[in-house]
Amino acid sequence: MNVGKAFGVTLSDSQVRSLLQGKKILVKGLKGKKGSYDAYLIPESVEEFSYTKDGKEIKGFQYKFKMEFPQTKGKQG
């Protein structure tokens, strides 16, 4: 399981430790269709996955995250 990256962003050691402890972290510079953005990642669970590539079955585990977006200055809900 690779916990050093989330959504294409390399995480710091302290961010990885926090995620493994079940804490929410702020990740800056996530890439989206409309540019980059910041979001809080909140670990929800670990799930098993598998797929077939080039005739070989690949199995592993992955974290499932919930995202929260920080309020930006000047915008009212």
Side-chain angles (χ1 to χ4, degrees):
M1 181 176 346
N2 181 356
V3 293
K5 284 193 173 197
F7 302 101
V9 174
T10 301
L11 302 175
S12 70
D13 290 344
S14 64
Q15 287 175 312
V16 171
R17 276 192 295 277
S18 292
L19 284 176
L20 292 173
Q21 293 170 358
K23 297 177 183 176
K24 108 175 154 177
I25 63 166
L26 177 63
V27 179
K28 296 185 177 192
L30 297 169
K31 305 275 188 262
K33 290 181 182 179
K34 296 181 181 180
S36 65
Y37 61 97
D38 301 339
Y40 288 100
L41 297 183
I42 303 161
E44 290 190 316
S45 64
V46 176
E47 70 177 24
E48 192 171 354
F49 72 89
S50 68
Y51 62 91
T52 303
K53 181 177 180 180
D54 299 328
K56 183 179 177 184
E57 186 176 16
I58 309 294
K59 292 184 177 185
F61 294 89
Q62 64 187 10
Y63 273 97
K64 295 300 279 186
F65 295 101
K66 182 172 84 171
M67 293 176 111
E68 284 182 3
F69 300 96
Q71 290 186 350
T72 57
K73 293 180 183 176
K75 290 190 177 181
Q76 298 284 327

